[in-house]
Amino acid sequence: MLGFIRRRDFLITADGVHRLIDTHVPYRNLEDAKLQLHVVATDLLSGETIVLSKGSVAQAIVASIAIPAAFAPVQLENLYLADGAITCNTPVRIAVARGARRLFVLPTGYACALEEPPRGAIACALHALTLLIARQLLHELHGLESSIEYFVVPPLCPLLGSPHDFSQTNELINRAAESTRTWLAEGGLTRREIPHQMRAHRHQ
């Protein structure tokens, strides 16, 4: 609230994210990763999708998760970078443009079992963003050439909660792990299909 009153352009700093990355990522630059690594962000001024393939890992990740209003944009030269989800949350076409011919997609899903909209401005805005991301991914997958293989891990469904509520983190991780094991055992990696959990639906 003080951030809004003082006309600051963010609510919280990204210091904690920086520390998390520095603690757990064993390399400091994107180009030092053992596998080719690209991080997607959005240029807040032009609306262009920016793909970061070299330079600071921490800076790239912080830029990619910088949800507007929650985090400050990251300035990189003459660019002001924010959350990649604004323009391209699941960069399927970007991967294909860089030579990928076999894709493994892990969508996070959305709170599909709510009985009413989330309460609170931030919770409601984040929920709307997850709906936008789900629709965007469907659009990208439908537009792929038939020669591109893709395998989509079904997201959790039914799902409750909010993207900013971390009280169920362990439970959701365990559910997702079990759900994915079941999908693999049932031949998930032999089917080029879009799971029904990703399409618009309701729970009674």
Side-chain angles (χ1 to χ4, degrees), residues 13-86:
T13 71
D15 294 346
V17 181
H18 272 284
R19 286 194 297 271
L20 193 65
I21 296 166
D22 289 340
T23 300
H24 295 285
V25 178
Y27 47 87
R28 292 294 171 259
N29 294 306
L30 294 169
E31 59 267 36
D32 295 332
K34 291 183 178 180
L35 295 176
Q36 198 173 107
L37 177 61
H38 306 283
V39 178
V40 175
T42 300
D43 178 12
L44 270 183
L45 298 184
S46 69
E48 180 184 2
T49 298
I50 304 297
V51 181
L52 302 171
S53 304
K54 60 181 180 179
S56 168
V57 172
Q59 188 177 45
I61 294 176
V62 169
S64 185
I65 67 165
I67 301 170
F71 295 99
V74 173
Q75 186 172 1
L76 183 62
E77 297 178 356
N78 62 334
L79 301 175
Y80 290 87
L81 302 179
D83 194 348
I86 298 171

Side-chain angles (χ1 to χ4, degrees), residues 121-200:
I122 293 178
C124 200
L126 288 175
H127 178 65
L129 180 61
T130 62
L131 295 177
L132 174 64
I133 288 169
R135 300 289 81 77
Q136 183 187 75
L137 176 54
L138 283 175
H139 176 72
E140 291 223 2
L141 290 173
H142 280 306
L144 287 178
E145 297 177 3
S146 59
S147 61
I148 304 298
E149 282 189 287
Y150 65 77
F151 306 98
V152 185
V153 179
L156 290 180
C157 178
L159 185 61
L160 290 167
S162 169
H164 76 296
D165 176 11
F166 295 95
S167 62
Q168 303 178 60
T169 298
N170 288 336
E171 177 188 347
L172 293 175
I173 289 173
N174 291 333
R175 274 186 64 194
E178 183 58 33
S179 172
T180 302
R181 280 193 289 266
T182 300
W183 176 75
L184 289 169
E186 293 176 350
L189 291 180
T190 64
R191 300 190 298 268
R192 183 186 190 269
E193 63 181 14
I194 297 175
H196 67 85
Q197 296 93 328
M198 291 177 55
R199 303 183 188 277

